[in-house]
Amino acid sequence: MRKSFYHFLMNYRHPAPKDEISLFANAAFLDVAFPKSADDYHELSSYLELNGHYLDSMTVFDEAWQLYLSSENKI
């Protein structure tokens, strides 16, 4: 059973974020509506395009998604 993207992203939470993915993880943690059980790229990207005001660029999500896929051996 694969873990959700949110569960994966929480590995990058940090009290003093040093990169964009850590900033994303911290913001997603505070986003009570974030789709925490999702593991589908389109569902997550649609949500973030409409509600991810905390992302400077969707490129950050794309980079995190690639790390997620690598960690789940999906690519």
Side-chain angles (χ1 to χ4, degrees):
M1 181 159 121
R2 66 179 141 179
K3 61 183 158 184
S4 70
F5 175 76
Y6 177 83
H7 185 232
F8 164 79
L9 187 62
M10 291 303 101
N11 292 316
Y12 289 87
R13 276 189 63 217
H14 195 279
K18 298 179 175 140
D19 59 36
E20 291 180 328
I21 293 178
S22 292
L23 289 168
F24 174 29
N26 289 354
F29 176 76
L30 298 173
D31 181 355
V32 296
F34 193 92
K36 293 177 175 62
S37 61
D39 63 1
D40 178 72
Y41 176 86
H42 297 291
E43 178 183 354
L44 290 159
S45 65
S46 292
Y47 173 81
L48 290 168
E49 286 174 3
L50 296 172
N51 304 292
H53 57 83
Y54 44 82
L55 282 177
D56 289 336
S57 167
M58 285 298 286
T59 303
V60 177
F61 167 66
D62 290 335
E63 291 171 10
W65 182 259
Q66 289 305 313
L67 292 171
Y68 171 65
L69 292 179
S70 294
S71 76
E72 294 291 311
N73 295 318
K74 293 181 171 80
I75 58 172

